[in-house]
Amino acid sequence: QNVLDRLRRTLPQVTPAVIEAVSRRIEASPRIRSTWSGDRASVREFYGALWRAMMLAISAESGKRIILDSSKSSRASLRRVSALARLCGFDVRVIHLIKDPRAFMWSVMRGSNRLLETGQQELRKGSMSRGLAGWVVVNAWVHITQAMNPRIPVMRLRYEDMIGDTPRTLRAVGAFLDLDLQPVIDLVADQRPFPPGHGVGGNRMRRQG
């Protein structure tokens, strides 16, 4: 709420619906329609002003200089990286976390997380093919974005390396971000719990404590 209050002091006309519509118009796959009309030049200008104000509000409220965007929905944010860099002028760095496709497909085969929470297991028709197609598109798009935006640094990070040698992987991430992650590495090494952060969603592991 404090972030939105700060944002409205800069852009009084902004509502969550406006944020959604403008962002989808600029960031999303062309197949996703946006309710925001207007010529592309004016929309791009407004998008830049909106997200500059939004990030400054988040930074001011949190006291942090680095903001992590962990959005998962690739169709809705395919062009976000290049938009934030080009239209907002941010120092954008990409961590491409990639999971072995066999492990990813195993997760798909297990069914919906929501159903698994209730003890059910149901694989919807076409889930396997949609899952595989999604994995290919998402990871291919990172390479396409990198080719189209050669000045944006990209770090390729294997999920299996993160699990297999977490301290070494976190040190590499810290070097990439110019950030000291030793306190995090110490927590992992000592198997101590992480302090709670800003969590909204999450999978069944988080919701089960």
Side-chain angles (χ1 to χ4, degrees), residues 18-199:
V18 167
I19 297 171
E20 173 82 9
V22 171
S23 299
R24 292 294 169 265
R25 174 76 183 272
I26 296 296
E27 299 174 354
S29 159
R31 294 182 62 185
I32 297 181
R33 294 181 180 179
S34 170
T35 58
W36 193 264
S37 59
D39 66 276
R40 187 155 182 84
S42 64
V43 176
R44 287 165 64 90
E45 183 179 353
F46 184 58
Y47 174 93
L50 169 64
W51 279 101
R52 276 194 300 272
M54 176 74 83
M55 295 298 186
L56 287 172
I58 293 173
S59 182
E61 281 297 321
S62 65
K64 305 296 183 182
R65 65 182 181 88
I66 295 177
I67 298 172
L68 174 65
D69 182 343
S70 59
S71 302
K72 288 185 176 183
S73 178
S74 58
R75 291 174 66 246
S77 55
L78 277 177
R79 296 176 287 186
R80 176 172 296 169
V81 169
S82 54
L84 290 177
R86 291 181 176 182
L87 304 182
C88 302
F90 291 130
D91 174 11
V92 177
R93 305 182 191 187
V94 176
I95 297 177
H96 180 197
L97 180 62
I98 184 168
K99 190 174 185 179
D100 188 300
R102 295 166 296 182
F104 175 78
M105 292 307 294
W106 172 248
S107 296
V108 173
M109 287 174 61
R110 296 179 65 202
S112 162
N113 273 337
R114 295 291 184 184
L115 290 176
L116 287 170
E117 283 186 9
T118 61
Q120 304 177 60
Q121 188 171 12
E122 178 185 344
L123 189 62
R124 295 179 180 177
K125 185 177 181 181
S127 294
M128 296 292 288
S129 56
R130 284 197 303 272
L132 181 59
W135 186 94
V136 171
V137 169
V138 166
N139 289 290
W141 189 258
V142 179
H143 291 279
I144 293 171
T145 300
Q146 186 177 8
M148 294 172 63
N149 302 273
R151 294 185 179 180
I152 297 179
V154 177
M155 177 185 187
R156 210 83 61 203
L157 185 62
R158 293 176 68 248
Y159 179 85
E160 293 74 23
D161 291 338
M162 173 66 84
I163 300 302
D165 192 345
T166 305
R168 183 183 64 82
T169 307
L170 287 177
R171 277 191 287 271
V173 171
F176 179 69
L177 298 177
D178 299 323
L179 189 65
D180 180 15
L181 291 182
Q182 192 57 48
V184 179
I185 295 171
D186 292 340
L187 288 176
V188 173
D190 298 339
Q191 296 189 358
R192 286 183 283 143
F194 284 79
H198 178 65

